[in-house]
Amino acid sequence: MKKIIVGFFAFVLLFVGHNAFASNVFNGQSGDCSPTIGIGNYTTGNIPRDGYGCWTSSSISASSGDTINVGMYYHNNTDSTLSNVRAVVSRSSSGPASSYSFTGSMSSDQGNQTFGTVTLNLSSSQTLTYSSTHLMKGKSAVLSDTDTAVYTNEGGIDVGSVPPGWDDYGTIIFVYKVGSTNQQTCQDSTATNYGGSLPCNYPQVNNCTISNFTANGSNSTTITSGNAVNLVWNTNNCTSVNVSGPNGYYNSSLSNSATVYPTSSGNYTLNAYGQTGGTQTRTVYVNVNDIQYNNCTISNFTANGSNSTTITSGNAVNLVWNTNNCTSVNVSGPNGYYNSSLSNSATVYPTSSGNYTLNAYGQTGGTQTRTVYVNVNSPYIVPDVPPVYVNDCAVTTVATNVGQNSAILNGLITRSNGASYFEYGTSVNLGSRTSSRVGSGSYNEVISGLLPNTIYYFRFFSQCSNGLSYGKIEIFRTQGTITNTQIIRQIVTQGTTVVGTQSPIMLKIENRYQSIGVGDNIDYTVMYKNIGKSLLTHPVLQVIVPQGIILTNSSSGTYSNETNTLTVQLEDLKPGQEGVVYLQARVDTLPSNTAQIVTTAILVYTNPNGAQENAIAYVLNNPKNLVVNNLGASAFWSGFFSIGLIGWLLIIILILLIILISRRYYGNKSVVHTTTPLGDSHTTTTTNY
């Protein structure tokens, strides 16, 4: 039952516009009830109101046994949501008395407001017994005369959050009973103990309640900036919850706990919602000490863009993290993986499941730790079917000319030619692609519309003679909006890539090996020459070595373990001037499903017009662990097992002669050539000359 006819407040639907906001946080707009608190006698039906249904009476008379209603209308008078809203009606006396006054007020985190006072006049001294409070929250509840919550606590009710707009106004009805000084029974027929002893009791609706909400086990806690805070809560009869707090934290999909890493102090607020629309709110306070010295924090750590990922054994997992004010980090995980020289990313190829752990260390000795989980599924092996390789005839190389919103993606077609394109995106799922076009040899494409200071993933695809081939997934980071963020695997900002006869630079990189394996040592030779007619200034040579290959020595330059890049500052190149840089490297690891390993050389220079340009060249190697078709191999070797000792000696001598001839031949070769990626082959690619 309702103690009031709520249709009065439906008048606000007549007003689709409103005036500029007043200074009060509640009411005051064109269309709001004024006054916003009124009083009426429900028993006699004496509830004065205007043509819009708003209560107008500030004083009413009643007799013993009458039911008195005090109603408050509320509406958000601001452009943002009001939080922790509470409504209170306080009376002047606990009685008995011949006159009572009622003052209504509402409070919120954004401001408090008193609505006014109404008066009840009695012919004699009478008791006044509080019965109940009825909340109709929102336009639909008001129009349908439906309670969203019923309370039996006279001290006030929690309304929760009140958004702006004309769909979220409401009414609150406080119900009182007038009785003689010797009244000892409940006279409210809606009460469960009607006719019984006071106070009146009312049926409880299926309303949501919060039994506890803690931060690190307490109502408040103090931590050092970036450390973990464990939020734990329990609710009853609630259909959904959400938690919000410092640093813009928000989550609406949690069950009963969350771990956060705040860097600023503030309240975490738990909102719980019940089936009948009631809202319960609790807050806990977290005090964050930001020590004076440079303290280390981890802002994120992901595997393939998430806190956990599932892969097939041996496939790539891209670990990405960001830290602040840290002096060093290390990452460890399955298969004995450990690295202490990385900056903010790594690619790993696990064959067993487990956690990868990031430890970050600050100047004051503080340590921050995060973990991500990688679930590894064993591959289903089809007998006599060769595995699928990346970097077959389509090889992904590097991104150049990286700005805030654009970049050039580079690839290499090593066999045949056909329709080719790049796919790219902010996760390993990619999602965007360039237009297809026919190409051969070096292939690049400009992409635009990128977000600044964001990591992007990209992969090269080409339709080769044996079907669609695709390269490895590589990454780069766009420049920031304030400072130039160095892209992954590159140190200097690059300008336009000049190719063909227009390039004033001849650039070549080669080594004397066809196939490489774990434990091998590699010698690289990088040759460059100014074949133009003008002075080229501020030249910088970079050699980007693949992941898993460690540079051990070089004739000049500085090597970065974080980006696998050798950087050589060259003197200005006069026309005809040339030079050579030598490198030595060791193969520590090789991916098991990569057909060709690419090493990239980039020479950046400034032309006479002041524009920055670059040339790019590649050298390709095949991994020794490349698997050939098992059926063909078995058929091939089965014919040799029947020969005798002399036959085997002849075969060994023949193999040695072939190796000697091929080393002499390939050691001096500098032109482009390509064989099948599943054979024992070696490719040297030179461009821009």
Side-chain angles (χ1 to χ4, degrees), residues 300-309 316-321 372-374 426-429 455 457:
N300 77 289
F301 181 36
T302 60
N304 288 350
S306 177
N307 292 329
S308 63
T309 188
V317 175
N318 293 297
L319 303 176
V320 178
W321 61 90
V372 292
Y373 183 74
V374 176
T426 56
S427 73
V428 293
N429 297 322
I455 290 178
Y457 301 77

Side-chain angles (χ1 to χ4, degrees), residues 307-591:
N307 292 329
S308 63
T309 188
T310 298
I311 64 162
T312 301
S313 178
N315 282 1
V317 175
N318 293 297
L319 303 176
V320 178
W321 61 90
N322 292 101
T323 62
N324 302 292
N325 303 323
C326 300
T327 56
S328 62
V329 300
N330 64 57
V331 181
S332 58
N335 304 113
Y337 178 79
Y338 183 84
N339 200 319
S340 60
S341 62
L342 303 176
S343 58
N344 63 349
S345 67
T347 301
V348 294
Y349 304 87
T351 57
S352 60
S353 302
N355 284 317
Y356 282 89
T357 301
L358 168 66
N359 292 306
Y361 306 94
Q363 291 181 355
T364 58
T367 303
Q368 297 289 307
T369 301
R370 292 279 185 95
T371 60
V372 292
Y373 183 74
V374 176
N375 180 46
V376 177
N377 292 328
S378 299
Y380 174 73
I381 300 176
V382 180
D384 301 327
V385 176
V388 177
Y389 292 94
V390 298
N391 281 13
D392 184 352
C393 71
V395 180
T396 312
T397 60
V398 297
T400 58
N401 306 42
V402 178
Q404 292 182 10
N405 308 112
S406 63
I408 293 181
L409 306 182
N410 294 281
L412 188 62
I413 304 172
T414 63
R415 185 178 67 254
S416 183
N417 58 10
S420 304
Y421 59 92
F422 290 95
E423 290 188 359
Y424 62 95
T426 56
S427 73
V428 293
N429 297 322
L430 304 178
S432 299
R433 60 166 286 177
T434 63
S435 299
S436 297
R437 60 181 174 86
V438 175
S440 61
S442 290
Y443 186 100
N444 61 65
E445 198 76 65
V446 178
I447 59 173
S448 58
L450 307 181
L451 299 173
N453 196 24
T454 302
I455 290 178
Y456 279 88
Y457 301 77
F458 71 100
R459 168 178 273 180
F460 182 46
F461 293 80
S462 184
Q463 190 68 40
C464 299
S465 57
N466 60 340
L468 182 65
S469 175
Y470 52 91
K472 289 177 58 179
I473 292 179
E474 301 289 352
I475 59 177
F476 67 93
R477 185 193 291 273
T478 53
Q479 294 184 8
T481 55
I482 299 177
T483 60
N484 288 332
T485 302
Q486 297 173 349
I487 64 172
I488 303 299
R489 299 183 177 174
Q490 288 183 243
I491 296 177
V492 297
T493 302
Q494 299 177 5
T496 305
T497 302
V498 181
V499 298
T501 58
Q502 296 180 349
S503 176
I505 285 291
M506 180 278 292
L507 179 64
K508 294 192 293 185
I509 178 171
E510 57 190 19
N511 60 46
R512 55 191 177 90
Y513 300 98
Q514 299 176 19
S515 300
I516 58 176
V518 174
D520 287 350
N521 293 314
I522 310 174
D523 299 320
Y524 292 98
T525 302
V526 183
M527 295 165 284
Y528 59 90
K529 182 178 181 179
N530 182 351
I531 59 175
K533 299 180 180 180
S534 303
L535 177 69
L536 303 178
T537 60
H538 306 100
V540 177
L541 174 67
Q542 291 183 292
V543 180
I544 303 169
V545 181
Q547 291 284 342
I549 297 179
I550 306 301
L551 190 69
T552 57
N553 194 14
S554 64
S555 59
S556 59
T558 303
Y559 181 68
S560 170
N561 288 320
E562 297 177 351
T563 59
N564 283 18
T565 301
L566 174 72
T567 301
V568 184
Q569 301 285 342
L570 304 176
E571 296 182 356
D572 292 349
L573 294 176
K574 300 177 181 179
Q577 187 172 349
E578 59 185 5
V580 180
V581 175
Y582 302 97
L583 299 84
Q584 290 181 327
R586 182 185 70 251
V587 182
D588 276 5
T589 60
L590 285 177

Side-chain angles (χ1 to χ4, degrees), residues 44 66 74 132 339 366 417 523 628 675:
T44 64
D66 288 350
Y74 69 86
S132 59
N339 200 319
N417 58 10
D523 299 320
V628 298
T675 61

Side-chain angles (χ1 to χ4, degrees), residues 6-56:
V6 296
F8 336 130
F9 297 123
F11 81 97
V12 295
L13 297 177
L14 300 175
F15 295 85
V16 296
H18 56 79
N19 296 331
F21 293 157
S23 59
N24 295 325
V25 296
F26 296 99
N27 307 326
Q29 298 183 31
S30 174
D32 284 334
C33 285
S34 179
T36 55
I37 183 171
I39 189 170
N41 190 323
Y42 178 79
T43 301
T44 64
N46 183 15
I47 306 177
R49 52 187 181 271
D50 59 21
Y52 295 112
C54 295
W55 288 12
T56 58

Side-chain angles (χ1 to χ4, degrees), residues 54 62 99 106 129 164 175 192 249 265 335 379 394 474 504 515 536 557 568 674 679:
C54 295
S99 177
M106 296 188 77
T129 305
V175 181
T192 57
Y249 178 80
S265 301
N335 304 113
E474 301 289 352
S515 300
L536 303 178
V568 184
T674 308

Side-chain angles (χ1 to χ4, degrees), residues 135-205:
L135 171 61
M136 284 157 280
K137 184 178 180 181
K139 179 177 69 176
S140 61
V142 173
L143 294 179
S144 61
D145 190 19
T146 302
D147 290 332
T148 54
V150 177
Y151 300 86
T152 57
N153 180 11
E154 188 179 5
I157 66 167
D158 292 319
V159 178
S161 298
V162 179
W166 288 104
D167 290 328
D168 295 285
Y169 62 85
T171 64
I172 308 166
I173 311 301
F174 293 81
V175 181
Y176 299 89
K177 285 287 188 176
V178 179
S180 63
T181 55
N182 59 356
Q183 179 183 347
Q184 298 297 321
T185 60
C186 175
Q187 299 299 310
D188 188 349
S189 60
T190 65
T192 57
N193 62 333
Y194 172 69
S197 301
L198 293 175
C200 296
N201 298 322
Y202 297 89
Q204 294 292 320
V205 296

